[in-house]
Amino acid sequence: MPLLECRGLRKQFGGNVVLNGLDLDVSEHEVVALIGASGSGKSTLLRCVNLLEEIDDGTITLDGEEISDPRVDPDTVRRRIGMVFQSYNLFPHLSVLENITLAPRRVHRRERAETQRQARELLDRVGLADKADAYPDRLSGGQQQRVAIVRALANSPRLMLLDEVTSALDPELVGEVLTMIRDLKADGMTMVLATHEMGFARDVADRICFLDGGRVIEQGPPAQVLGDPIEARTRQFLHRIIEAGRL
């Protein structure tokens, strides 16, 4: 059984259909990269999986439980899902350590000492042990994004959703975040990531899904989808990416 199953997802904003009968399976320990033009449904899909947006039709199943059922408590589901956004969304009035330990203490009711110990261990792993007491405005963009990822990891999620986590970064800061995601893959974390970084998608993903018009048009191993796509629409998209020097 896949860890995550999406069946016939439909989401419409006014007259704009963003997800149009989308199907997606994600196996445990798999890394799936979502690619496609802006407006193809990548970010909306991630927000629907995390129950930040309510789907109009279809089902979302996590660990065999239909989490899209309106009777399901979204906060309970989100304890099993970590989500990291383009903007870091760190609380500016809290230190790095306080940002990371807030949810484990308030939501999971864990002891302060335990959450601080875990947070310091995670910060040490990503080279930010000396930033525990710093405030977000004292960090670079790359450091803030790594803290945002650590904050999501502190809840021990079953699934990580990463929405264009490098798009707001200066080019020289992208590498440190991508290295962290590679390390998560090596640890066996299940991830679905929306990205415009084609080279990164090729290197880290087990499977690439090309979205167009709110559906998965083509999917497969990175070498096949990026190197020898079957669908004409995929070839057209990648041709533009290559012309722009991004692959």
Side-chain angles (χ1 to χ4, degrees):
M1 178 183 297
L3 177 66
L4 174 70
E5 290 183 88
C6 300
R7 290 287 177 272
L9 297 193
R10 183 175 177 85
K11 178 63 182 178
Q12 185 168 337
F13 296 100
N16 183 27
V17 177
V18 182
L19 299 180
N20 189 15
L22 183 143
D23 293 329
L24 177 69
D25 287 349
V26 180
S27 299
E28 190 165 11
H29 309 306
E30 186 179 24
V31 178
V32 175
L34 309 176
I35 66 170
S38 296
S40 60
K42 304 185 300 297
S43 294
T44 299
L45 171 59
L46 296 184
R47 292 179 63 84
C48 287
V49 170
N50 202 33
L51 306 186
L52 294 173
E53 298 286 354
E54 185 176 340
I55 59 174
D56 298 322
D57 199 8
T59 59
I60 303 171
T61 304
L62 179 68
D63 269 328
E65 176 193 0
E66 186 189 332
I67 61 174
S68 53
D69 187 320
R71 295 167 294 183
V72 171
D73 179 11
D75 290 334
T76 301
V77 173
R78 293 190 195 111
R79 294 175 188 175
R80 292 181 281 158
I81 299 175
M83 186 162 184
V84 185
F85 302 87
Q86 298 180 42
S87 54
Y88 324 121
N89 290 347
L90 299 176
F91 294 109
H93 63 292
L94 299 180
S95 70
V96 165
L97 192 66
E98 290 167 334
N99 264 282
I100 295 170
T101 59
L102 182 64
R105 288 192 296 107
R106 295 283 183 88
V107 178
H108 297 276
R109 304 297 182 185
R110 290 164 54 190
E111 295 293 330
R112 180 184 296 271
E114 178 194 357
T115 61
Q116 289 187 348
R117 176 189 57 75
Q118 181 197 31
R120 291 184 186 279
E121 288 177 356
L122 288 169
L123 287 170
D124 186 53
R125 284 186 56 191
V126 301
L128 294 175
D130 60 331
K131 303 297 183 182
D133 297 320
Y135 285 84
D137 64 356
R138 297 295 182 181
L139 305 180
S140 70
Q143 289 171 333
Q144 290 187 60
Q145 193 60 289
R146 282 187 284 163
V147 170
I149 295 173
V150 166
R151 181 176 61 180
L153 290 173
N155 294 307
S156 303
R158 293 280 288 143
L159 172 68
M160 284 282 284
L161 307 174
L162 306 167
D163 187 14
E164 302 286 4
V165 293
T166 60
S167 65
L169 299 178
D170 292 333
E172 64 268 23
L173 301 177
V174 169
E176 59 193 57
V177 175
L178 299 187
T179 296
M180 183 176 181
I181 296 172
R182 287 190 183 94
D183 291 342
L184 291 179
K185 174 184 170 68
D187 290 342
M189 176 61 68
T190 308
M191 290 183 280
V192 182
L193 53 99
T195 184
H196 288 299
E197 297 278 347
M198 296 299 121
F200 172 65
R202 177 179 56 206
D203 292 343
V204 77
D206 299 303
R207 179 160 48 100
I208 289 180
C209 295
F210 172 64
L211 273 64
D212 186 62
R215 296 189 301 152
V216 177
I217 299 298
E218 183 165 355
Q219 61 181 305
Q224 181 265 306
V225 174
L226 298 180
D228 188 23
I230 297 170
E231 299 294 330
R233 181 67 187 92
T234 315
R235 293 196 297 270
Q236 181 187 41
F237 170 77
L238 292 174
H239 178 70
R240 292 176 180 172
I241 292 293
I242 292 169
E243 281 189 330
R246 289 165 48 199
L247 180 61

